Amino acid sequence: MTRGVRGAGPTMHDVAAAASVSHQTVSRVLNDHPSVRPETRQRVLAEIERLGYRRNPAARSLVTRRSRAIGVLAPEVTQHGATSSVQAVESAARAAGYFTLVTTAAVERSAARAALGFLLDQGVEGLVVVAPHAEIEAAVSELVVPLPVVALQSARAGRLDWVGVDQELGARMATEHLLALGHTRVAHVSGPAGYFEAEARRRGWSSALAAAGLEPAGVVEGDWTARSGEAAAAALDPDVTAVVCANDQTAIGLVAGLRRQGRRVPTDLSVVGFDDVPEAAYVDPPLTTVRQDFRLVGERALARLLAAIDGVQAPAEDDVLRPTLVVRESGAPPRPR
Amino acid sequence: MTRGVRGAGPTMHDVAAAASVSHQTVSRVLNDHPSVRPETRQRVLAEIERLGYRRNPAARSLVTRRSRAIGVLAPEVTQHGATSSVQAVESAARAAGYFTLVTTAAVERSAARAALGFLLDQGVEGLVVVAPHAEIEAAVSELVVPLPVVALQSARAGRLDWVGVDQELGARMATEHLLALGHTRVAHVSGPAGYFEAEARRRGWSSALAAAGLEPAGVVEGDWTARSGEAAAAALDPDVTAVVCANDQTAIGLVAGLRRQGRRVPTDLSVVGFDDVPEAAYVDPPLTTVRQDFRLVGERALARLLAAIDGVQAPAEDDVLRPTLVVRESGAPPRPR
DNA sequence: GCACTTAGTACTATTTTTGAA
DNA sequence: GTTCAAAAATAGTACTAAGTG
């Protein structure tokens, strides 16, 4: 790489000439090699500054056989969660002297495959993949290239190295909160099929009910959007008194749908969300939800990836984070019949 | 760049040996040079496939003097707007054979300066900068490196090449909507000082009032968050009947704050937002707001940047996009006194 | 100890050679 | 012989690492 098309900047050779040393000495100054006299170092540094010299990363990569690039594959959504995690990966990588190539792709195998090929073409040293869906996980697992990979928002028991929040536990906590309020008919508006987190949250909901000796009160499949939550309002069993939603958007949509039916939350029906998006505290009613630390997930994922790149084996079981329940006002005891 | 630390993959030389040609012929095949016999081409392609060969981008960059990298500087927020635009830049860049280095930085001059330095160190050929604040614009303007730059969410009249939506017009449309409903006391909850879009939206609000011969009914400064919107509820003049908010988050917060005071929207007070975030249609009441096409902004920005990189002068005045007013239910005629 | 010279990195661009019409 | 396509050989790219004064 050099300075764009036209503005080819000074090379190490130019700096060397200006400082009356060899280009190798300039290299040593830049790499903090001990064998440089302080005054020589100063002179070189001064010329670097004066000429505005920057090392050519391409030439460096070529000889060091290191790209210092980390590929990130993310689904093409603007969800708060994925966005936060990806940003955390990026800043942690930068702090560690790497840069990230973030590529988005549709949640679909061939798109993911193409995106991964693109990242591989750029010579990345490792991959962080937001793999919320089986199709993306499959595209990653197909990769024959022996590259360190860490998955996010993926299946805990999958084939890939994994960092994430215990989704099942989160959904169980949300459900237990409703049970503690006295609800016995608790339904679920799920995420779409094929999404690991959707499945884990559904398991959490049903296992909490099973543990309490209750029958699940039906599942309506949503697609993470508020629109699907709104539509779910019409599909709910009439005797349901509480609903665990797959995420906050769905919960916000469900509340809107119920309102259009003339039913109030939490008076007529209790609703809990998942994620704790920034708006959750300000909608009507303020949403009781499950918070996850998305930035921490991103940081841990990068730490794990760097360990793998350096050939260090990271501890396996210590990257399952616990979510927390945030109780606000969208849950209340069921109306007496 | 090569295949990570350990897995140094095959080189062009290896492919050449396997196909019994010179490495130069392999290069020609890869670059679609005409002087290769079809059967030779096939043989080379087959070996590339069989060996899983990928070109080394570092070696390529070194000799072509092109990095094919585009730097993107974005503020470290997960706002729907910036995120959408950045994603659009990324996918448009990929389609054009470039990759993007997205770096986030705090909205503060030294952080932006450091982030730009980082991008420059990576040898980017151009920059897309989300520069919503004067401090970021200043950090970019300081850059002596003669690199093509396009700014987003920035000042239209600034020193930088610019692509964006006419914020002032959007705020004017929002305000005129309230005036058409019969309001005469229209306040504004603004964005924070120093943000170009905050200032433009404020100008749009006040100019619409001035054009109608009305006095502005006061400004409360917010910080784009729902929290600040909620706080603004307490700071509003009692005789205000409508409020133009700096963005949807602020509007959602304001509605929540008013609700806590026992005032209903739109019965007691009308509120309009800005941006049309995905939740806007599902909150209570569904938010009347100003929609901007964030993805289009990103695509136009990239197109403009590529034109600059190729040394083509892009037309100056044709990248001011028009927002649209989305009328929902948070506006109504003022209550008769 | 300090700094220079040389070699090597994996490509693309340029020039030269080969072989066939 | 001359010409032209095909492919080889060579040079150059900006660095780091190893060997040499």
Side-chain angles (χ1 to χ4, degrees):
Chain A
M1 311 191 193
T2 39
R3 328 274 154 258
V5 197
R6 43 182 150 289
T11 71
M12 192 172 272
H13 189 87
D14 300 331
V15 175
S20 312
V21 294
S22 75
H23 74 279
Q24 179 51 233
T25 300
V26 177
S27 174
R28 288 190 164 171
V29 169
L30 255 10
N31 292 307
D32 284 320
H33 193 284
S35 298
V36 181
R37 228 177 329 181
E39 63 194 76
T40 310
R41 169 182 303 275
Q42 282 316 312
R43 206 166 71 239
V44 169
L45 253 19
E47 288 304 325
I48 286 174
E49 171 72 17
R50 192 175 66 80
L51 297 171
Y53 167 74
R54 286 172 190 274
R55 273 187 286 198
N56 182 321
R60 235 162 100 75
S61 289
L62 187 57
V63 66
T64 59
R65 298 154 162 283
R66 297 288 305 266
S67 67
R68 303 206 74 85
I70 286 170
V72 179
L73 175 63
E76 47 184 12
V77 294
T78 61
Q79 303 277 17
H80 174 71
T83 308
S84 303
S85 292
V86 169
Q87 278 191 14
V89 168
E90 187 265 316
S91 57
R94 185 149 38 96
Y98 286 79
F99 60 90
T100 52
L101 292 173
V102 182
T103 301
T104 57
V107 177
E108 191 246 308
R109 196 179 310 200
S110 66
R113 196 154 31 201
L116 290 168
F118 172 79
L119 292 174
L120 259 24
D121 281 341
Q122 309 307 321
V124 296
E125 295 185 26
L127 288 167
V128 174
V129 182
V130 182
H133 192 281
E135 284 293 299
I136 294 191
E137 206 234 15
V140 179
S141 299
E142 267 171 27
L143 275 187
V144 284
V145 192
L147 218 54
V149 178
V150 175
L152 259 52
Q153 299 190 355
S154 196
R156 188 171 161 187
R159 287 154 292 185
L160 301 172
D161 199 359
W162 182 86
V163 172
V165 175
D166 190 335
Q167 305 295 326
E168 190 169 336
L169 172 61
R172 207 153 50 226
M173 290 162 67
T175 309
E176 283 163 1
H177 168 69
L178 294 170
L179 297 180
L181 287 169
H183 293 276
T184 55
R185 299 290 300 157
V186 182
H188 180 46
V189 180
S190 74
Y195 280 82
F196 300 115
E197 296 189 335
E199 288 157 12
R201 291 175 195 178
R202 179 176 170 159
R203 278 198 305 276
W205 160 76
S206 67
S207 70
L209 291 178
L214 294 168
E215 287 293 304
V219 176
V220 182
E221 184 175 319
D223 65 2
W224 304 122
T225 66
R227 165 181 284 272
S228 75
E230 186 183 36
L236 243 33
D237 252 13
D239 62 346
V240 162
T241 62
V243 184
V244 175
C245 290
N247 69 352
D248 288 346
Q249 274 80 21
T250 306
I252 290 169
L254 176 64
V255 171
L258 291 169
R259 189 166 51 235
R260 269 155 223 185
Q261 293 177 349
R263 301 161 85 187
R264 315 290 312 174
V265 175
T267 325
D268 301 320
L269 221 79
S270 290
V271 172
V272 299
F274 210 111
D275 285 351
D276 197 25
V277 300
E279 297 79 23
Y282 298 93
V283 295
D284 184 25
L287 210 56
T288 292
T289 186
V290 179
R291 177 185 296 158
Q292 3 182 12
D293 191 339
F294 295 109
R295 286 199 64 91
L296 187 57
V297 169
E299 287 162 15
R300 291 274 178 93
L302 187 84
R304 225 178 156 72
L305 186 69
L306 291 185
I309 287 175
D310 294 340
V312 183
Q313 198 65 5
E317 271 318 295
D318 113 85
D319 277 312
V320 184
L321 304 174
R322 290 178 64 88
T324 56
L325 183 72
V326 181
V327 177
R328 287 196 273 251
E329 302 168 30
S330 63
R335 225 200 242 289
R337 302 184 174 227
Chain B
M1 312 194 194
T2 38
R3 327 277 155 252
V5 197
R6 41 181 152 291
T11 71
M12 191 173 272
H13 190 84
D14 300 331
V15 175
S20 312
V21 293
S22 74
H23 74 279
Q24 178 49 234
T25 300
V26 178
S27 175
R28 285 188 168 170
V29 169
L30 256 8
N31 292 308
D32 285 319
H33 192 284
S35 297
V36 182
R37 227 173 332 178
E39 61 196 75
T40 310
R41 169 181 303 275
Q42 282 316 312
R43 206 166 68 241
V44 169
L45 254 18
E47 289 303 326
I48 286 174
E49 171 71 19
R50 192 175 66 79
L51 297 171
Y53 168 75
R54 287 171 188 275
R55 273 188 287 199
N56 182 320
R60 236 163 99 74
S61 288
L62 187 58
V63 66
T64 58
R65 297 155 162 282
R66 297 288 305 265
S67 67
R68 304 206 75 84
I70 285 170
V72 179
L73 176 64
E76 44 184 14
V77 293
T78 61
Q79 303 277 19
H80 174 71
T83 307
S84 303
S85 292
V86 169
Q87 277 191 14
V89 168
E90 186 264 318
S91 58
R94 186 150 36 97
Y98 286 79
F99 60 90
T100 52
L101 290 173
V102 181
T103 300
T104 57
V107 177
E108 192 248 309
R109 197 180 309 201
S110 65
R113 194 152 35 196
L116 289 168
F118 172 79
L119 293 173
L120 258 24
D121 281 341
Q122 308 308 322
V124 297
E125 294 185 27
L127 287 168
V128 174
V129 182
V130 182
H133 192 282
E135 285 292 299
I136 295 192
E137 205 232 17
V140 178
S141 298
E142 270 170 26
L143 275 187
V144 284
V145 191
L147 217 53
V149 178
V150 176
L152 259 52
Q153 299 190 355
S154 197
R156 187 169 162 186
R159 287 154 291 184
L160 301 172
D161 199 359
W162 181 88
V163 173
V165 175
D166 191 333
Q167 305 294 326
E168 189 169 336
L169 172 61
R172 205 153 54 225
M173 289 161 67
T175 309
E176 283 163 359
H177 168 68
L178 294 170
L179 297 180
L181 287 170
H183 294 275
T184 54
R185 300 289 299 155
V186 182
H188 181 45
V189 179
S190 75
Y195 280 82
F196 300 116
E197 296 189 336
E199 288 157 12
R201 291 176 195 177
R202 179 176 170 156
R203 280 198 304 276
W205 161 75
S206 68
S207 71
L209 292 178
L214 294 168
E215 288 293 305
V219 176
V220 181
E221 184 176 318
D223 64 3
W224 304 122
T225 66
R227 166 181 282 272
S228 75
E230 185 183 36
L236 242 35
D237 250 14
D239 62 345
V240 162
T241 63
V243 184
V244 175
C245 290
N247 68 352
D248 288 346
Q249 273 81 18
T250 306
I252 290 169
L254 177 65
V255 171
L258 292 169
R259 189 166 49 235
R260 269 156 223 187
Q261 293 178 349
R263 299 162 85 187
R264 315 291 313 176
V265 175
T267 325
D268 301 321
L269 221 82
S270 291
V271 172
V272 300
F274 209 110
D275 284 350
D276 198 25
V277 298
E279 296 79 23
Y282 299 92
V283 295
D284 183 24
L287 212 56
T288 291
T289 186
V290 179
R291 177 184 297 158
Q292 2 183 14
D293 191 337
F294 295 108
R295 285 199 65 91
L296 188 57
V297 169
E299 286 161 16
R300 291 274 178 94
L302 188 85
R304 226 178 155 73
L305 187 69
L306 291 184
I309 287 175
D310 294 340
V312 183
Q313 198 65 8
E317 271 319 295
D318 110 85
D319 277 312
V320 184
L321 304 174
R322 289 179 65 90
T324 56
L325 183 72
V326 181
V327 177
R328 288 198 272 251
E329 302 167 29
S330 62
R335 225 199 241 292
R337 310 190 172 224

